[in-house]
Amino acid sequence: MTEETIFTKIIKREIPAQIVYEDEHTLAFLDIAPNSPGHTLVIPKKPFVNIFDIDQETFAQTMKTVRKIAPAVRDAVGAQGVHINSNHGEAAGQEVPHLHFHIIPRHDRGEFQFWPKIEYAPGQANEIAEKIRATLSAE
Ligand code: AMP
């Protein structure tokens, strides 16, 4: 769990936000600096930092709201698709330490760039996959 953040202040209505949806467990509101108009954030009300500390139940509740909100965001701005993005950890660009999903409307393929792709060195993919499998089987 995290300490007070800008998002806990939004939950408590201590600072203004364009809230578009709320239920017992989650909140959705417009990002103040959108990547595209309609860019919406979905958060759990419990202040977990990110994927590494959130429990499965709260994560599932948050994803349920993402599933509910995404089509409404898309339709509100007449988009064709959405990016659903989430940054976990400073190294991944997480700025607010309260788990959140970005829902970003997309109108056409030309308005954004994916991250560049790299190639594995020989044997590297197998080595990494083996480590992931070993970690999971040790749980
Ligand atoms: P991230 O970099 O994934 O942690 O994203 C944090 C997001 O929170 C950014 O896209 C910010 O624009 C957004 N944000 C920061 N403060 C506010 C706020 N007061 N209301 C709405 N969105 C905010």
Side-chain angles (χ1 to χ4, degrees):
M1 295 266 191
T2 182
E3 73 290 355
E4 182 97 337
T5 67
I6 201 95
F7 292 172
T8 50
K9 289 184 178 156
I10 289 173
I11 294 167
K12 291 190 271 181
R13 273 44 173 198
E14 290 173 1
I15 61 169
Q18 286 288 351
I19 294 171
V20 297
Y21 177 78
E22 180 172 24
D23 62 27
E24 189 184 348
H25 306 292
T26 65
L27 191 74
F29 52 94
L30 296 188
D31 194 297
I32 203 167
N35 185 250
S36 153
H39 180 164
T40 299
L41 300 175
V42 175
I43 65 171
K45 287 185 174 175
K46 287 186 195 163
F48 292 103
V49 176
N50 56 34
I51 193 79
F52 303 117
D53 70 338
I54 195 167
D55 63 80
Q56 292 280 11
E57 188 184 356
T58 308
F59 189 74
Q61 289 159 347
T62 307
M63 290 310 295
K64 190 174 174 192
T65 298
V66 170
R67 173 64 183 87
K68 182 181 182 70
I69 297 299
V73 170
R74 178 198 59 184
D75 295 348
V77 296
Q80 275 69 56
V82 295
H83 267 127
I84 295 174
N85 171 267
S86 195
N87 304 323
H88 301 264
E90 278 182 29
Q94 183 176 10
E95 290 174 357
V96 178
H98 181 134
L99 184 138
H100 50 282
F101 282 90
H102 298 259
I103 301 174
I104 306 172
R106 293 301 181 206
H107 298 266
D108 67 71
R109 180 65 181 81
E111 67 183 324
F112 67 93
Q113 292 194 326
F114 276 118
W115 46 69
K117 296 182 180 182
I118 60 169
E119 286 183 16
Y120 282 112
Q124 188 186 17
N126 188 54
E127 185 186 325
I128 293 170
E130 280 293 346
K131 284 184 181 168
I132 296 170
R133 286 190 285 264
T135 300
L136 291 173
S137 63
E139 283 177 358

